Amino acid sequence: MRVGIIGGGVSGLAAARHFLQCGIACVVFDTGKRGVGGRCSSRTNTNFPGAVDHAAQFVESSGRSDAFDAFIQDCVSTGVLRPWDGKFVGSENDGLGALPDFMAEGVEVRQDRWVAPNGGVFKKPDGTWSADKEQFDAVVIAHNGKCAERLTSKIRSPVSKLCKAAFGTKPSPSRMTLNSVYSLVFEVPAGSLSYDGVARVFEDDDVLAFAANQGKKLGWARDGDATETWTALSTGAFGSKNKHPQEQLRGTDVEERVRNEMLSALGAALGASAPLAPLRWRLQLWGAALPLNAHVADVPFAWDADNKIGIVGDWLSVEGGPVASIEAAFCSGDALAKHLAAAPSESAGLEGSYQAFETVFSRRPPAAAAPPPTSKRSDAEKQEKKLRKALKRIGELRLMDYMSLTTDQRVKIHGEHAVLEKLGRLGVKDVEALRRKLQPGLETPMPRSKKWSAERDDQREEDKKRRAWEERQNAKGQTRRKGDWDCEECGNMNFAKRTQCNKCSAPRPVAV
Ligand SMILES: Cc1cc2nc3c(=O)[nH]c(=O)nc-3n(C[C@H](O)[C@H](O)[C@H](O)COP(=O)(O)OP(=O)(O)OC[C@H]3O[C@@H](n4cnc5c(N)ncnc54)[C@H](O)[C@@H]3O)c2cc1C
């Protein structure tokens, strides 16, 4: 069997590593220009004084996977990782990017190769697969987001549905949801920040989720260095709010604003005596940064044996298993490779459910605090004020010509009794005295008319409009047309088409 793996992050490489160990041929395709690793990669050979991790910062083990723990031990014994504060950090020269490089040793990697989402992967009539024009017996999608969604959209397999992605800060109940995180790497004169620790997690900051002094963390900083280099990572909410296409970020107002906001938040949190003025900096948006939910099934991957296509990644997990981490990605890729080596004809992980979880990056900003009350009045006082105003307005309307009022205004007038009753119920002692005060010149309340109704008033309004129209027509001399006739009984003018009077129903005179 020959397997094509699309994605050279930790999950794809973990699968490739196991395939290699058990003699299954595989090829990894990865877009990375400088190297493999995806979200677990570092910047080296830049103008910064040493290697910097611009996405993943630490490796942590939950202790649930022997395979992952054994792999970590391998990394430590070969100097790829270094224990630090219960976690592991990358090497001095290569940062955390040393980890995927180590995983890729011996693996056939097609570097800087983007498998086109529209037609880059398809199933041939003979049942084999074509990936980037190479032939494979099976394919594994080892990346997520819009690219994986489009790549699998035309493939007839249950895995296509699992690859559908949503973006934002709120996990969808039915599809994988990813947030966006800004990463700002910057170099400032030594001592710009009074904080002298290595790393800091921000539990309740709107802008920042995490920051680490890269030189101290990776071990390349020396006493007496003139500068210090930091990586600051934003919250998902901040990333989503300020999202901008990464390829077009350079030199834009968004880049400037995001950089300044992150620097000022960091300066405030880590004790900068003056606004931070970086000597060098680089801002990057991880558009598909971290999953906010995981597809939880009985295995941390999905494999469609009928079509020989699988998916791996940090968003596929088991109940209580790791998610959104290097450990999750490793366990997913490793488990799929083991399954393919043992039982390739059995589908697995296609049925599951989406479960949301919290990370420091997925924290959402607290709901805005309720605005302070602008008025100290109770509800009853507010209602009484409204009713007094209504009563005053009714008085003004009553003094106007009733026929000139609109139906709404008349309805208001006829509702006066209801207003007075409501005021009484609210505890106003002398309602009548209040009415006289608010309606000067009106000695008695509006008499309650039994005949009055809004419908009747509407009818009057209609009649008024019709009469006005007739008058206008008369003025134009257009009322009588050829064939119109006058009723002999009541004198009403009728249209030519009528056979009896419109008003009194008398028959149309024969001579007409
Ligand atoms: C800002 C940030 C901070 C983080 N911090 C930590 C941390 O401290 N500790 C931790 O454990 N985890 C952390 N994580 C999470 C961790 O980095 C990821 O969970 C893990 O690296 C995911 O690996 P993956 O293989 O699933 O996906 P990815 O790393 O995304 O790998 C997918 C790969 O596929 C490639 N690819 C995509 N499309 C194509 C295509 N069409 N053709 C070819 N190749 C393609 C991509 O270039 C990429 O290399 C962090 C993540 C982010 C974004």
Side-chain angles (χ1 to χ4, degrees), residues 282-435:
R282 189 173 159 81
L283 184 74
Q284 171 163 358
L285 176 72
W286 292 96
L290 286 144
L292 302 179
N293 53 6
H295 183 258
V296 175
D298 48 357
V299 288
F301 60 86
W303 171 246
D304 171 6
D306 296 337
N307 293 298
K308 297 197 180 63
I309 180 169
I311 42 176
V312 292
D314 61 346
W315 56 282
L316 295 156
S317 191
V318 291
E319 196 68 51
V323 278
S325 63
I326 290 166
E327 182 183 10
F330 178 94
C331 291
S332 177
D334 187 62
L336 173 93
K338 283 177 178 156
H339 179 81
L340 251 68
S345 56
E346 283 173 26
S347 291
L350 297 171
E351 301 295 328
S353 62
Y354 287 89
Q355 287 181 18
F357 55 85
E358 279 263 315
T359 67
V360 68
F361 298 100
S362 60
R363 197 181 62 232
R364 275 190 273 153
T374 47
S375 145
K376 289 201 177 76
R377 283 202 195 96
S378 69
D379 284 352
E381 283 169 333
K382 280 185 202 154
Q383 207 188 344
E384 187 185 325
K385 195 179 170 207
K386 245 169 125 181
L387 290 167
R388 280 166 174 256
K389 222 169 139 187
L391 203 55
K392 193 169 175 212
R393 176 72 185 138
I394 289 169
E396 287 163 7
L397 292 172
R398 281 178 62 194
L399 292 172
M400 288 163 73
D401 172 12
Y402 186 82
M403 296 312 287
S404 71
L405 300 180
T406 63
T407 305
D408 276 356
Q409 290 170 327
R410 288 177 197 164
V411 168
K412 273 198 186 114
I413 289 184
H414 291 281
E416 188 182 274
H417 276 277
V419 174
L420 295 172
E421 278 159 20
K422 277 185 196 162
L423 279 164
R425 281 203 295 275
L426 279 176
V428 175
K429 290 221 172 61
D430 194 346
V431 176
E432 180 48 27
L434 176 68
R435 187 199 65 74

Side-chain angles (χ1 to χ4, degrees), residues 6-12 29-32 35-40 54-60 96 113-117 142-144 147-148 151 181-183 233 286 288-291 312-315 323-329 361:
I6 325 296
V10 172
S11 62
F29 296 88
D30 191 62
T31 50
V36 287
R39 286 171 282 160
C40 176
H54 59 148
Q57 303 287 318
F58 301 102
V59 181
E60 263 183 294
L96 207 50
R113 195 78 74 80
W114 186 62
V115 179
H143 63 279
N144 57 24
C147 192
L151 196 84
V181 168
Y182 272 105
S183 160
L233 300 174
W286 292 96
L290 286 144
V312 292
D314 61 346
W315 56 282
V323 278
S325 63
I326 290 166
E327 182 183 10
F361 298 100

Side-chain angles (χ1 to χ4, degrees), residues 121-137:
V121 174
F122 61 90
K123 198 172 174 197
K124 293 179 167 186
D126 64 1
T128 61
W129 285 91
S130 167
D132 206 31
K133 300 194 181 110
E134 287 189 47
Q135 186 168 337
F136 297 98
D137 301 301

